[in-house]
Structures are given as structure tokens and as C-alpha cells.
Amino acid sequence: MISINNVYVQYGDRILLNRVNLVVGDRDKVGLVGRNGAGKSTLLKIIAGEMSPQEGKVQRPTHSSLGFLHQEMDIPRGKTVLDEAMTAFASAKALELEIEEMNREMAERTDYDSDEYMQLLEDFAHANDRFHYLGGEAVQGEAERVLKGLGFKQTDFTRLTDEFSGGWQMRIELAKMLLQKPDYLLLDEPTNHLDIESIIWLEGFLKDYSGVVILISHDKEFLDNCTNRTVEVELGSAFDYKAPYSKFVELRQDRREKQKAAYENQQKVIADREKTINRFMAKATKTKMAQSMQKQLDKIERIEIEDEDTAVMNLRFPAAPRSGQIVLEGKKIEKRYGESLILDKVDIKLDRGDRIAFVGQNGQGKTTLAKIIVDEIALSAGELNLGHNVKIGYYAQNQSDTLHANLTLLQTMENASPPEMRTRLRHILGAFMFSGEDADKKVSVLSGGERARLALACLLLNPFNLLVLDEPTNHLDILSKDVLKNALMDYDGTMIVVSHDRDFLASLTNRTIEFRDRQLFNYIGDVNAFLEKRNLDNMRQVELSAKASTNAAAKAAPSTPVSVPTPITITPLPATPAPAPKPVQPELSFEERKRIQRAISNAEKKVERLEEEIKKIQDQMSAPNFYEKPDANKVMDQYKLKQAELEKALEEWMELGEG
């Protein structure tokens, strides 16, 4: 069990984590969600012990193991992929040597009845169990299984880690962590560098994982499939929901609606009471009653509506300079990496105003063709020509990783800016939610989502009319994705978007190009029209079917069933009926007025008596050892009963006073 107690973190004048308390059980699968920069990665680092809070502490069992995959990791160089993965079994190898030593000792000793020998047997059994749990008998086979699950081919095992990109190196580190089988597995956006097959494999691995999993992700489906609990970090607080992501969204909305309704109802009650008190205060005969009512009103625990972080970046792409009618045209494009053929004599043509989505399984050439178009890599054969006055804006899949960690945000913008934009850089940073002193922060302290926002800000500094975006939603939270999509909807240039996010692509493009079997297949319409034509339900099927298909007419595999969360029934609060107008009262006789005065006096005495009884119970409950007493529950029930009686007595008193 992990216990997070009163954790407090503040940067400058900003409180990032404000007295956060959380307990994570031994079988929990927790999704940490929230806005970019809300403190999710910071909280994960504190749990992992990589940073210390200014106040508070984190406790976990002394001899437990922990693995932490975060967004900036350095992979050792000079080893093959398999050799590096095998370093995960260092503890298993050490255990194997320990078991051999204990075996030798047991064979030599003869004091079978001694306590020391019994302890040796117990230690041997424990070490043997741990060795089996770590898969010590078949470590290489297990390493190969996990590497293949994460997308590596058999031929990759003997390649040096140096040959792989940052995303693939992250997969090696993830493989090592999964092979170590720590008691606590902490993952910060593990799907950012994985293809769909690897994501689905990882989902299955995590669902069956026997330890605790705490992960950060903006992939809603991944969270639903891997977690049974959601913790939202917002404005310094942590809100705990015992449900996966989709259910959490419903519960969160339900909680906020009920909180708002309760707040509005209480405000109405308070306003009515204050109106009555003010009226009674104006009458000398009712001053005492008004003071008592005010005292009771002051004791009411006020309901507050929790703050909600609705800040979003202000993103608007610059007007696109006019290009020629044909923006680009490629014929017989071929691309090879060694013996591997990625694109086989494909043709592509973009007219001005085209908005195209590249979809398909990872490894089919989407990013490769995007890099050929922006002249980042050369084609192996064929030709590709840009049209008249075409200016390219490019957001790479790892764009945020290319930012210089030791530069400040302002310096990063200055390096990317033309001279005429220099005076507006702080204003642009503010539009991307980097205000005031944020401009002087180092890039190294930014979260993945904040780096993505900074990279987008840099993109806007120069005009372009062909925008190429490769997985632009990596690292972005849900609200930021919506802002980016709305900005792209308003963009008036030509656009290519590489993405596997169906929600993001829906209605965004007017053509879809599927990459399959080293060929390109064109479809008119957005991603939903494409899926309908291909008889598919979701983007996962697109990417999985690409591997299985053998020709352009092949149909997709049967749809993977998606579990639908049980809907929450929200019972609306009954409307408060408008009070009926009071009939005009006839003038009272002396006896009737005397009877009412007597009733008011009795009601007042009843209120005073109940207040005294409640005060005595409160004094009793304030004793240090009160909750240790056997009758504590009985006293608390009595306290609640007296409170209810007092509330009723006050209402009767008020009604008599208003008569």
C-alpha cells in the first residue's frame, strides 16, 4: 500500500499540490488524469522518490520494489536490444547465485534440528518463490516475448540500442520495467511512442499485472481498458473516483451538478433566514429571537462550489499565403530502409485547400511520406514536386523532444522567430498559457503537455500554406486537443494530419489516405466516412486490419467488443413550489394574542433548552478519547437527533413570530 500524506508543492506563487492525501491499495490500477501542468507528473515523481515535496510524505512498504517510466529517460548505449532488456533480470541472477549458495550450505550442514537450519530452509523457500515469480528459469524467452509485444522484430534483437529513435528506446526501457515485475509500476504516458498493436498488447499485460499500476495517459480507451480507479489532479487538489475513465467523466459531472444544486438550495435557505432575521431585528419584542436565529445561521456549514480549471490556450493559425492550384505532386515514390520496402511506387497529389488524413498501422509509411514531403528524408526512387509559392509548416511526432532543455521559453521562441515577430513573443506565450514569470522558466522543467504547447507556439511564428502535422495530439490533454482541432477547422491552407485519434480527425478533413501493404488508398470524406466505407467500427480496427489484409478490397477483422459503462441515473431534485399568498388575517382578540404570545415564549424556551443540550453533547464529543469510548456512536446519533429537533423548533418559532 502507498500512503500519500499532506503533500504540498509550490513553485513561485503557484501552488501545484495543496495538501494532497491519497491511499493506493495493493491491487489498484490507477489512472492519473488532469490538465497539462496540473501536477500529475510531479505527483508521480514524488511517489517514485525522485523528488521531495516541500511538506508531507509518501510511505510504502520498506522492501517493496518500484519501476518508474517517465518522459525523459536515457538508455545505455553500446548494447544490443536483447542484452539491454536482459539487464532487467539482474535481481533474478543475483537470486540464482544466492539459491546456489544456500543449496551448497544445506548439503554441508548436519544440524537439522537447530533454529539456524530452520531459518535457512525458510530463506531458501522464500528466495525460490521469488526466483520463480521473476521468471528466472526462462528469462531470455520472457524477454523476447515482451520485446515482441512492444513491436520489436526478431531481427531487431541483435541491433544496438544506438540505432533506434527515442521512441523505440523508450520501448526498450518499458520492456525492462515490465520484465522486472516491480510491486509498484508507475508509467507516465506510456502509449505516446507505441503503435496500436503494442498498445493493445500492453493493455492485456497491465490488466493481468499482479502489482499496483499508476499511469498517466490522455488516451481514454487505454485508461478504460487498464484502470479501475481514476484520480483527477486539478488546481492543487486530488479527487478520487473508484471507476475507470469513462465512468469517472459521468461521476464527475454528476458530482458537480449535485454540488451546484445543493449550493443553490442552501443559498436560498440562507437568504430567507437573513430576510426574517432583518425583519425581526426591527422589532424590539423579537430582537432576542433574531439574535438566536443569527447564531444558528452562523453555525451552518457553508457549501462551496469547487473551482474548475477551464483555462485553455488561445490558438489561431496565421492566414495562409496563396499558393498555386497544385500544392504537391508525387509520382512512383519508393522508399526503402536497407532491404525493407516501405512505399512501393505510390502516387500522391494535393490541390490547394485539400485537408487530408493519413491513417493506417504504424510502420506502413505515414510518417515516412510526411518526412519526404517536408524534405527531412530523401526518397529512394520516383519524384515529388512542390507547387508554386508553397511554404511548409511541420509539426513532427517528436517535435516537443527537439526543444533545447537548457533554454528558457522566451529564448526558445526567439530562436524560432523572424525579427518582425520578436516584440510579440511574450504575448504569444501568454496565449499558450505561459504567463508572467513562465517565460523565464527552463524548458527542462516543463511537462510533456507544456512542451507540446510551446512547440505549437513556435510553429505559429512563420507563415505557411501547407501544414503537415504528425501525431499532434501526443501529450495534449482533452481540452487542449479540442482547442487545436477548432483552430485547424478555421485554418485556410492545405493540410495533412497523421493521427490514429478518431475523435480528433472527425469532421477535420475532406480526404482520407489509408497506408496499407506499401500502397496508398484514397477515400473521399473524413475519417467517419472512411470507416463506413471500409466497414470498420474504430481506428484500432484500421491499424490492426492493415497487417492482416492482403489487397485493397480486404475487409476488416470482426469488431472488438467495447464495454459500455453502466449509465448513472440522476434523479432530478424536486422543484420548490412557490409559496401560496397568505390570506388577509382578521384582527385578533385579546385572548388569541395572549395565546400566541404564550406559544412564542414556549417555542423560544424549547430552542434555548435544545441549544443547551447540544452544547453539552459537543463538550462531551470534544474530549480527546471520546471516539475510543464504547458509547461514542450512540452519543453521535443523539447529537444528530437533537440537531434535527432544533431545526424543527426554529422553524416553528419563526412561523409563530411571523404570524
Side-chain angles (χ1 to χ4, degrees), residues 54 136 150 168 183 231 253 411 421 466 473:
Q54 284 146 328
L150 292 175
W168 283 93
D183 300 314
V231 174
Q253 182 65 23
Q411 289 169 335
M421 295 291 290
L466 172 57
T473 60

Side-chain angles (χ1 to χ4, degrees), residues 124-366:
F124 176 80
H126 177 75
N128 213 37
D129 288 344
R130 181 69 180 166
F131 184 71
H132 288 309
Y133 172 74
L134 294 173
E137 303 91 341
V139 289
Q140 182 162 332
E142 181 67 4
E144 291 184 2
R145 182 183 76 85
V146 171
L147 286 170
K148 286 179 180 177
L150 292 175
F152 290 94
K153 300 174 184 174
Q154 190 77 35
T155 53
D156 292 329
F157 294 167
T158 54
R159 292 173 58 190
L160 294 177
T161 58
D162 313 46
E163 300 175 33
F164 290 87
S165 66
W168 283 93
Q169 289 187 2
M170 190 66 73
R171 294 191 196 204
I172 298 171
E173 195 64 26
L174 177 57
K176 286 165 55 180
M177 210 158 290
L178 300 181
L179 289 166
Q180 288 168 351
K181 297 181 181 177
D183 300 314
Y184 300 97
L185 185 58
L186 278 52
L187 305 174
D188 193 350
E189 301 202 37
T191 62
N192 276 351
H193 301 288
L194 299 183
D195 58 34
I196 198 67
E197 284 182 292
S198 300
I199 290 173
I200 291 172
W201 179 89
L202 181 59
E203 285 175 357
F205 187 98
L206 295 179
K207 271 191 281 191
D208 297 334
Y209 193 70
S210 60
V212 172
V213 177
I214 306 176
L215 63 89
I216 296 172
S217 178
H218 298 299
D219 185 330
K220 293 181 280 188
E221 193 167 356
F222 181 72
L223 286 167
D224 276 342
N225 290 337
C226 293
T227 64
N228 55 22
R229 183 176 169 190
T230 302
V231 174
E232 181 188 29
V233 181
E234 183 178 37
L235 297 175
S237 299
F239 301 94
D240 193 4
Y241 297 81
K242 304 297 189 292
Y245 184 82
S246 293
K247 192 83 168 180
F248 144 75
V249 174
E250 296 177 12
L251 292 172
R252 180 179 187 269
Q253 182 65 23
D254 183 36
R255 176 177 66 84
R256 287 190 178 277
E257 287 175 358
K258 287 180 176 176
Q259 187 182 62
K260 184 179 179 183
Y263 172 80
E264 289 172 352
N265 286 341
Q266 189 186 65
Q267 289 299 305
K268 184 178 182 303
V269 169
I270 291 171
D272 289 344
R273 292 274 179 90
E274 287 176 341
K275 187 177 178 182
T276 302
I277 290 168
N278 290 335
R279 190 165 66 250
F280 284 11
M281 279 289 190
K283 299 179 181 180
T285 58
K286 296 182 179 179
T287 301
K288 187 176 180 182
M289 183 188 295
Q291 289 171 342
S292 183
M293 290 169 60
Q294 182 65 56
K295 186 167 63 173
Q296 290 300 318
L297 186 61
D298 292 341
K299 289 179 181 178
I300 291 179
E301 186 175 345
R302 304 298 172 104
I303 297 170
E304 293 182 0
I305 297 179
E306 294 157 359
D307 292 333
E308 185 175 5
D309 187 359
T310 56
V312 293
M313 58 182 176
N314 183 11
L315 174 56
R316 185 176 179 181
F317 289 97
R322 187 173 179 81
S323 68
Q325 178 59 35
I326 297 176
V327 174
L328 71 84
E329 188 169 16
K331 296 181 179 179
K332 306 294 182 186
I333 295 174
E334 185 177 301
K335 181 59 184 177
R336 293 178 179 271
Y337 290 105
E339 297 298 316
S340 179
L341 179 62
I342 306 299
L343 298 171
D344 187 11
K345 298 182 175 59
V346 301
D347 297 338
I348 185 171
K349 181 182 177 184
L350 268 70
D351 291 324
R352 185 175 64 239
D354 275 348
R355 304 166 70 85
I356 296 178
F358 283 3
V359 301
Q361 184 192 35
N362 276 24
Q364 292 289 322
K366 304 188 300 294

Side-chain angles (χ1 to χ4, degrees), residues 3-17:
S3 178
I4 300 163
N5 302 306
N6 220 29
V7 165
Y8 182 88
V9 176
Q10 182 172 352
Y11 291 120
D13 58 354
R14 183 188 174 200
I15 298 174
L16 195 63
L17 299 172

Side-chain angles (χ1 to χ4, degrees), residues 315-321 390-395 399 412-422 424-425 428 432 454-468 491-492:
L315 174 56
R316 185 176 179 181
F317 289 97
V390 171
K391 302 179 186 298
I392 295 177
Y394 178 45
Y395 185 92
Q399 188 75 29
T412 301
M413 293 283 284
E414 286 172 345
N415 288 348
S417 173
E420 64 272 16
M421 295 291 290
R422 295 284 174 88
R424 299 185 55 213
L425 296 185
I428 294 171
F432 280 81
L454 179 60
L456 281 171
C458 291
L459 178 65
L460 302 189
L461 295 173
N462 294 283
F464 46 80
N465 46 31
L466 172 57
L467 179 57
V468 182
Y491 174 61
D492 61 350

